[in-house]
Amino acid sequence: MTTNPPQACVPVVSEAAGKQGLDTAALQQLDSAHYLHPFTDHAALRESGARVIVRGDGIYLWDSEGNKIIDGMAGLWCVNAGYGRTSIADAVHAQMLQLPFYNSFFNTTNVPAVQLATLLAEISPPQFEHVFFTNSGSEANDTILRMVRRYWQLAGQPERQAIISRHNAYHGSTVAGASLGGMAGMHAQGGPMVPGIHHIGQPCYAEGGRGMSEADFGLEAAGWLEAKILELGPDKVAAFIGEPVQGAGGVIIPPSTYWPEIQRICNKYDILLISDEVICGFGRLGAWFGCELMGFQPDLIAFAKGVTSGYVPLGGVLVGGRVAQMLIEKGEDFNHGFTYSGHPSACAAALENIRILQTELLVERVALETGPHLKACFASLATHPLVGHAQTCGLTAGLNLVRRKGATVHDCEPFDSEQGVGMLCRKHMFDKGVIMRAVGDRMIVAPPLSMTVAQIDEMVERIRECLDLTLEELTQRGWMA
Ligand code: PXG
């Protein structure tokens, strides 16, 4: 027993800290003393101190020093409806007073979970009438892995165990998520991955399409799936999983020929097709689901993030007719689930969030107005001397920082990856009040879908200014060609 007060009682609010009443230095010190952050080098973070985000409204964030920042990443690809939505807070508040939680095990259910499942069946592609709820995208993909293998067991082909994914895919951080993903840095840590998962190349034209048209490269990249199926044996392959547009991998937008050819190959070998829509779902690409835009009909969809705009954690799996029918008719107990599957308060947040996306026509606006505007803006950024090429899809975009521009994407000269040019550029962005992610030397954005055309202009002007500052710094360092 200790007689000392617990650490949590240490006052972190300093009277001298100005209007917001927050002492940034004290928070940073406690943060570094106690809080282990995701995907973070803690020794480096201790040196710099974490930036403390205290408030959000619309597309803007404020930090504890009072700086106003444009959130070019919508939290982490998720705050689709923007910050400050009182009606989502009210819906969650009301649900918490009515029934904060009850489980969906043992033949019980709750009203918001039923309503949300019904609404998801309505807004998703026609093959989806059923949903399995989780708390995150990682858990959605864990569920999919177990569900797919269970499906083939029930179908009398238990030897169909292999799942094919792509290098540089991100499917989450749980053991199954990391195994399904193709992130080299994750595979390098933590010992053996889940067996039976195989990776093929990503459909990145800039990386692999030299000497080919984009359309031909799309067919070639899809052909890597067929080659892998034949190598493993078609009767051993359970499923293929991919993000319609790879998000965390750097906004890799496949050629338009890619997904229809993937669909054709999956059909040919009777392989389940899984669309990981944790980022692409709920309007990011200008359609409710990315597969609709890319022209394929998956058997399963993983979702999370945008379903609640990140206000409360929620994820899930849309289960298509083929798999749902098998599980329901032959499956007996599916021995899988989470305490919080179908959490009523999280489902209440999702219902109100989807209502906002619908009534404000945010998905349609991405397709017809803000998405095309972002495309035009990024085309103009592509003329900057530091930018090799730029692409957008809906309300996500990426541009590559290069040492020397070239006539085509394949003729640009990249920086030495050790120089960390992307992180250097990102620092300028942060200092100037706009959040962009750096994936190597590719700078990416995925702002709230509520961002207006005028706000896109504001964001792009700041980006241009920071590209200038980065170019100035790189020139001074003698790093430009
Ligand atoms: N699938 C995809 C396609 C994702 O983008 C997950 C699954 C996992 O979701 P949860 O909710 O378990 O995190 C994600 C998550 C980044 C970054 O650096 C992206 C994600 C998560 C963390 C960082 O861009 N996406």
Side-chain angles (χ1 to χ4, degrees):
M1 279 284 286
T2 170
T3 50
N4 292 332
Q7 278 290 303
C9 293
V10 172
V12 295
V13 178
S14 144
E15 284 180 21
K19 264 197 210 149
Q20 299 206 21
L22 291 170
D23 183 331
T24 304
L27 278 170
Q28 288 174 328
Q29 194 262 323
L30 290 171
D31 178 82
S32 125
H34 301 295
Y35 185 11
L36 291 175
H37 295 230
F39 282 89
T40 294
D41 174 342
H42 287 90
L45 182 63
R46 197 167 46 211
E47 291 303 308
S48 64
R51 191 169 192 171
V52 185
I53 303 297
V54 294
R55 188 162 84 83
D57 188 28
I59 65 154
Y60 299 103
L61 294 168
W62 283 263
D63 68 15
S64 56
E65 305 285 276
N67 296 304
K68 182 179 177 186
I69 309 155
I70 297 176
D71 187 5
M73 283 306 297
L76 197 53
W77 317 85
C78 52
V79 187
N80 289 10
Y83 298 94
R85 295 290 190 168
T86 318
S87 65
I88 300 181
D90 289 345
V92 173
H93 180 241
Q95 183 57 46
M96 282 186 168
L97 293 179
Q98 174 78 22
L99 177 73
F101 171 70
Y102 196 74
N103 73 71
S104 294
F105 291 57
F106 322 123
N107 299 346
T108 58
T109 193
N110 67 77
V111 177
V114 174
Q115 288 174 331
L116 181 58
T118 307
L119 180 59
L120 290 172
E122 242 170 73
I123 64 173
S124 60
Q127 67 272 33
F128 296 106
E129 292 293 337
H130 295 89
V131 60
F132 191 101
F133 289 116
T134 68
N135 304 288
S136 68
S138 300
E139 287 179 1
N141 285 323
D142 270 55
T143 299
I144 282 179
L145 180 89
R146 300 201 65 219
M147 199 178 266
V148 158
R149 289 183 171 167
R150 176 72 179 139
Y151 168 86
W152 285 114
Q153 229 178 16
L154 292 168
Q157 299 182 59
E159 64 288 357
R160 280 200 189 249
Q161 291 270 318
I163 299 181
I164 302 174
S165 176
R166 284 105 46 100
H167 296 300
N168 199 35
Y170 189 75
H171 296 303
S173 265
T174 50
V175 175
S179 305
L180 288 166
M183 293 290 171
M186 296 178 80
H187 282 253
Q189 293 179 353
M193 294 276 147
V194 173
I197 297 170
H198 307 264
H199 296 84
I200 59 172
Q202 58 175 344
C204 176
Y205 180 61
E207 181 186 272
R210 181 180 284 279
M212 264 181 264
S213 70
E214 279 205 58
D216 285 348
F217 173 69
L219 296 177
E220 164 145 325
W224 301 333
L225 173 61
E226 186 156 28
K228 181 58 84 179
I229 292 169
L230 293 174
E231 177 196 320
L232 297 169
D235 55 349
K236 303 280 192 299
V237 181
F240 173 74
I241 181 168
E243 304 152 76
V245 167
Q246 283 157 262
V251 185
I252 312 288
I253 303 162
S256 59
T257 48
Y258 179 76
W259 276 109
E261 181 65 4
I262 290 282
Q263 173 87 66
R264 189 192 67 76
I265 293 165
C266 287
N267 291 351
K268 179 173 171 188
Y269 297 102
D270 197 25
I271 284 163
L272 294 173
L273 179 50
I274 304 158
S275 188
D276 183 342
E277 305 251 5
V278 168
I279 282 176
C280 297
F282 301 93
R284 172 62 52 201
L285 306 185
W288 278 93
F289 294 92
C291 57
E292 297 169 297
L293 188 82
M294 295 288 161
F296 66 103
Q297 294 85 43
D299 296 292
L300 296 151
I301 287 181
F303 66 88
K305 295 188 187 273
V307 65
T308 56
S309 283
Y311 278 62
V312 183
L314 178 69
V317 181
L318 289 168
V319 185
R322 178 177 172 187
V323 176
Q325 221 175 344
M326 183 72 84
L327 287 177
I328 293 164
E329 283 169 19
K330 285 198 179 175
E332 300 172 356
D333 266 7
F334 178 39
N335 296 322
H336 179 85
F338 305 100
T339 301
Y340 300 130
S341 289
H343 193 292
S345 303
C347 291
L351 284 165
E352 178 54 20
N353 172 61
I354 294 170
R355 194 197 63 77
I356 291 171
L357 296 180
Q358 285 177 322
T359 53
E360 296 185 11
L361 300 175
L362 290 180
V363 184
E364 291 80 357
R365 275 181 50 204
V366 172
L368 301 173
E369 186 192 1
T370 50
H373 189 68
L374 187 71
K375 190 174 273 307
C377 289
F378 265 66
S380 89
L381 287 177
T383 62
H384 191 278
L386 193 54
V387 178
H389 48 95
Q391 294 81 24
T392 71
C393 187
L395 225 57
T396 185
L399 56 81
N400 280 53
L401 305 177
V402 296
R403 190 163 176 265
R404 189 201 310 265
K405 285 168 89 83
T408 73
V409 296
H410 301 112
D411 302 318
C412 298
E413 190 184 321
F415 291 101
D416 182 344
S417 61
E418 298 289 302
Q419 291 174 318
V421 168
M423 288 310 279
L424 206 140
C425 179
R426 181 176 173 273
K427 184 167 182 331
H428 283 295
M429 302 275 178
F430 233 69
D431 291 346
K432 286 282 171 194
V434 58
I435 294 176
M436 252 186 134
R437 271 256 290 115
V439 180
D441 292 342
R442 189 159 165 84
M443 306 301 299
I444 60 181
V445 288
L449 308 188
S450 56
M451 187 175 256
T452 64
V453 161
Q455 289 172 333
I456 290 176
D457 289 339
E458 185 189 348
M459 176 178 76
V460 169
E461 269 329 295
R462 276 197 216 184
I463 292 174
R464 196 187 303 278
E465 201 185 323
C466 294
L467 289 172
D468 288 343
L469 290 170
T470 310
L471 177 61
E472 213 176 285
E473 182 175 352
L474 296 177
T475 308
Q476 272 167 16
R477 290 181 184 216
W479 288 2
M480 296 305 294

